[in-house]
Amino acid sequence: MIKAFRWLLPHPLLTLLLAVVWVLLQNTVSAGMVVFGLILGVIIPWGTAAWWPDTPRGFRLWRMITYSLIVMWDIIVANVHVAWIVLTRPNSQLRSAWVVVPLDLRQPEAITILAGTITLTPGTVSADLSDEGHSLLVHALDTGNPDGVRDEIKQRYERRLKEIFA
C-alpha cells in the first residue's frame, strides 16, 4: 500500500507546496484552481522523480521555516543596502571581490539552497561550485572584508542548513 502511494506521490510535501504556490500565484481561491494545483503537484514530482533518486533524510521543517524568515529579512536589508550603494557611490569606489566559501555541506539539496540564498540576497551572487562540491565561488558587490563575507555566509546560512539537513 505504502509503496503504491510512494509511486503516485514520490514527494508528498512538494506536491502540497506546489499546489499551495499555484493557488497563491493565481490570487484567487476556487475549487478549480485548487484541483489544478493538486494536479500540477502530482504531475511535476512524478515526472521528475527519476532525477531524485534519494530523498533528503532528516529534514527539519520547523528549522527551514525559521531559515526562510531569516533569508527574507536579509533580502529586505540587502535591498536597502544595495540601493544606497547604487544611489550614493560611484562605480570607481565599489570594492567588489570574489570569495571562495569552503563548504561543510555535502547534500546536493542543501548546497543548492545555500547557492540560491546567496544569489537571492542582493549584493552577492553564487558564480560556481567546485567539481567536488567542496567550495562555492561567490561575487560580492561591495566589501572591504572578503573573509568577513565568507564567515558570514558560513555562520548565518551554512550552519543553519547543516541543522536543517542533519
Side-chain angles (χ1 to χ4, degrees):
M1 174 73 178
I2 291 178
K3 190 166 186 144
F5 179 74
R6 272 289 184 202
W7 178 82
L8 180 61
L9 293 174
H11 301 282
L13 289 176
L14 181 60
T15 297
L16 182 63
L17 178 67
L18 288 170
V20 169
V21 167
W22 175 259
V23 171
L24 289 174
L25 286 173
Q26 297 309 309
N27 204 21
T28 181
V29 178
S30 68
M33 286 299 123
V34 171
V35 169
F36 191 70
L38 287 171
I39 290 170
L40 287 175
V42 170
I43 290 174
I44 292 171
W46 183 76
T48 61
W51 293 283
W52 295 48
D54 299 319
T55 57
R57 301 285 180 232
F59 183 79
R60 294 185 174 95
L61 183 61
W62 181 249
R63 289 185 188 237
M64 186 62 180
I65 292 169
T66 304
Y67 178 82
S68 298
L69 292 172
I70 289 168
V71 170
M72 284 189 267
W73 174 254
D74 288 351
I75 289 171
I76 292 168
V77 170
N79 267 302
V80 172
H81 183 72
V82 168
W84 181 255
I85 289 170
V86 168
L87 293 173
T88 62
R89 193 174 303 165
N91 289 344
S92 61
Q93 292 181 0
L94 286 178
R95 301 163 298 174
S96 62
W98 290 100
V99 180
V100 176
V101 180
L103 297 178
D104 297 326
L105 296 171
R106 294 295 172 251
Q107 290 179 308
E109 296 85 3
I111 293 170
T112 301
I113 291 173
L114 177 62
T117 298
I118 292 166
T119 300
L120 282 171
T121 307
T124 55
V125 66
S126 301
D128 194 20
L129 178 66
S130 68
D131 290 338
E132 308 84 29
H134 294 287
S135 64
L136 194 61
L137 181 63
V138 175
H139 183 266
L141 175 67
D142 185 56
T143 182
N145 183 7
D147 291 337
V149 171
R150 180 199 62 222
D151 295 343
E152 184 177 6
I153 289 170
K154 290 192 70 61
Q155 283 299 313
R156 190 146 179 94
Y157 303 127
E158 186 184 33
R159 177 182 58 82
R160 285 183 169 90
L161 286 170
K162 283 171 40 178
E163 294 171 1
I164 292 168
F165 288 93

